[in-house]
Amino acid sequence: MSTTTETGVLAARFQETFGAAADGVWQAPGRVNLIGEHTDYNEGFVLPFAIDKTAKVALRIRDDSKVRMLSTFGGHGLVEADLSDSEPGSGEGWSRYPLGVAWALKERGITVPGFDLLLDSDVPSGAGLSSSHAIECAVISALNELTGAGLTAEDLVLATQRAENVFVGAPTGIMDQSASLRGAKGHAVFLDCRDQHVELVPFDAEASGLVLLVIDTKVSHSHADGGYASRRASCELGAGILGVKALRDVGVERLGEASGLLDETTLRRVRHVVTENDRVLQTVETLGTLGPSAIGALLDASHVSMRDDFEISCPELDLAVDTSRANGAIGSRMTGGGFGGSAIALTPVDREQQVRDAVVRSFAEAGFTSPDIFTVTPAAGALRLV
């Protein structure tokens, strides 16, 4: 996706494209998950934050059921659809996300008219930074306001999850949209995925002399593929055998018992989720007492668990993590759903360039595509700009 167009330019381009002014411009951020991977759909704990890369939508309500959509990034022409016959599985590419949230709002009994939409985003696609949810959260924020639906943030989270699960066909949890809708500048979002309770946890890496590097491996992933679904199925199987509603209800102390009840693969999947929930709680406590400089070992342990127990890493992610740690990062892990995407490396400011150079060099030596490396900071959640 392209560098985000300035809001005024986006509004002007909307008017040029659709022949009328937009009703407004809304934006929603992508997210980085600091820790807590594949715990959300197990009703557990996660600690993401909204990032300073966003999807912006200029949108105007129509007086019919037609939808016209255009993106500023190349290779995509005008997409046209009709909400009267929009159903799960319809739409292609990025257009599925606006259509999906419109469908989810209609399913809730909200009258959703057609609309014209112009999208611009600088959230890297396929990088595990939730570019799809950034689009969904920007669109649903606009439609919630323009239709007068008055849904709460918690309602919007569930509606976007419904769009993802049913309309798009990706069995995701509620973490990504919760971060995008409920994030705050300078804070991570400590989310209990069972009841949507949120606590904002200060996370100021810069004040601790650190930067959070994102290493986009350029290995694209998709939540709608079989790998994600099979991991979720393993978690549900494990919970059923252990007699709990969700793996959230299994403590670390029960892993010994679980080893006698579960097959080897299911045990490893369960062990990741149970220990990852514990790592999230430890990270929140550590941030509150010792600050960001003390969480490195927890990030490292999270990656090992995802690599070995949940088996969702890949050679590029492992190389990014190992190289960044060997060159000065205090902690590193893959972030996002896995099978590609990005790693994060919490790095002292004075070692940032060394880590960048070493990772690029190691990828070249391995014959991998050169990664994109950039910093992110916790940013505000979805909001109206114009």
Side-chain angles (χ1 to χ4, degrees):
M1 295 182 181
S2 68
T3 301
T4 299
T5 306
E6 292 297 327
T7 304
V9 175
L10 187 65
R13 183 166 174 182
F14 180 96
Q15 182 150 3
E16 178 185 342
T17 300
F18 296 110
D23 291 329
V25 178
W26 289 257
Q27 78 171 21
R31 66 96 189 92
V32 155
N33 191 20
L34 190 60
I35 197 164
E37 225 65 76
H38 289 263
T39 51
D40 58 346
Y41 56 79
N42 289 290
E43 300 187 11
F45 305 102
V46 293
L47 189 65
F49 60 85
I51 62 174
D52 49 346
K53 291 183 179 294
T54 63
K56 289 184 173 70
V57 295
L59 190 145
R60 178 175 68 91
I61 291 294
R62 296 173 57 92
D63 58 7
D64 56 23
S65 60
K66 296 186 184 302
V67 174
R68 297 186 297 172
M69 297 179 286
L70 184 69
S71 68
T72 62
F73 38 97
H76 302 276
L78 185 70
V79 177
E80 298 189 61
D82 195 311
L83 294 183
S84 63
D85 55 20
S86 180
E87 58 184 19
S90 61
E92 296 182 1
W94 70 271
S95 71
R96 295 175 298 163
Y97 305 120
L99 292 175
V101 295
W103 172 85
L105 290 174
K106 288 176 64 178
E107 190 186 42
R108 285 175 165 255
I110 297 165
T111 299
V112 181
F115 53 87
D116 295 331
L117 180 151
L118 180 61
L119 166 70
D120 182 77
S121 177
D122 66 352
V123 185
S125 179
L129 303 181
S130 202
S131 59
S132 62
H133 282 96
I135 296 170
E136 290 172 341
C137 291
V139 174
I140 205 168
S141 296
L143 293 178
N144 184 47
E145 182 176 340
L146 294 175
T147 63
L151 298 180
T152 65
E154 292 85 351
D155 291 331
L156 297 178
V157 164
L158 295 178
T160 52
Q161 183 191 25
R162 183 73 175 162
E164 280 278 323
N165 291 176
V166 180
F167 195 92
V168 178
T172 56
I174 63 170
M175 174 181 68
D176 296 349
Q177 55 272 65
S178 294
S180 187
L181 288 163
R182 306 179 73 180
K185 185 176 181 180
H187 292 76
V189 179
F190 176 39
L191 171 67
D192 183 334
C193 295
R194 172 160 283 172
D195 62 9
Q196 289 203 65
H197 176 72
V198 159
E199 293 180 23
L200 295 176
V201 178
F203 179 67
D204 187 349
E206 183 179 357
S208 298
L210 301 167
V211 294
L212 191 71
L213 290 172
V214 174
I215 304 165
D216 179 0
T217 66
K218 313 304 286 185
V219 179
S220 186
H221 74 159
S222 170
H223 279 169
D225 66 13
Y228 189 99
S230 69
R231 298 308 186 279
R232 183 163 187 163
S234 288
C235 293
E236 292 169 353
L237 173 63
I241 293 173
L242 293 173
V244 294
K245 180 175 181 287
L247 291 181
R248 144 72 170 275
D249 300 309
V250 180
V252 174
E253 70 281 355
R254 286 197 66 189
L255 288 176
E257 173 195 348
S259 66
L261 298 173
L262 305 176
D263 66 86
E264 181 182 349
T265 298
T266 305
L267 174 63
R268 285 189 282 112
R269 307 297 188 246
V270 168
R271 184 167 58 209
H272 164 71
V273 173
V274 171
T275 58
E276 187 80 345
N277 270 324
D278 187 59
R279 283 186 287 271
V280 173
L281 298 177
Q282 290 186 57
T283 300
V284 170
E285 181 180 1
T286 302
L287 285 173
T289 55
L290 301 174
S293 61
I295 66 171
L298 291 163
L299 301 183
D300 291 343
S302 176
H303 184 76
V304 170
S305 182
M306 290 185 287
R307 183 192 67 199
D308 297 345
D309 279 350
F310 224 60
E311 295 182 287
I312 55 173
S313 191
C314 66
E316 291 86 349
L317 284 168
D318 292 339
L319 183 60
V321 167
D322 293 344
T323 303
S324 61
R325 286 291 284 115
N327 285 274
I330 67 169
S332 185
R333 64 184 287 273
M334 59 150 283
T335 188
F339 311 104
S342 298
I344 56 174
L346 190 59
T347 304
V349 172
D350 61 0
R351 304 297 289 273
E352 177 185 352
Q353 195 59 49
Q354 180 176 333
V355 169
R356 286 175 177 266
D357 292 344
V359 170
V360 170
R361 185 169 58 250
S362 69
F363 270 55
E365 292 171 351
F368 296 153
T369 299
S370 184
D372 283 342
I373 305 176
F374 50 90
T375 61
V376 291
T377 57
L383 54 90
R384 182 172 183 162
L385 298 172
V386 175

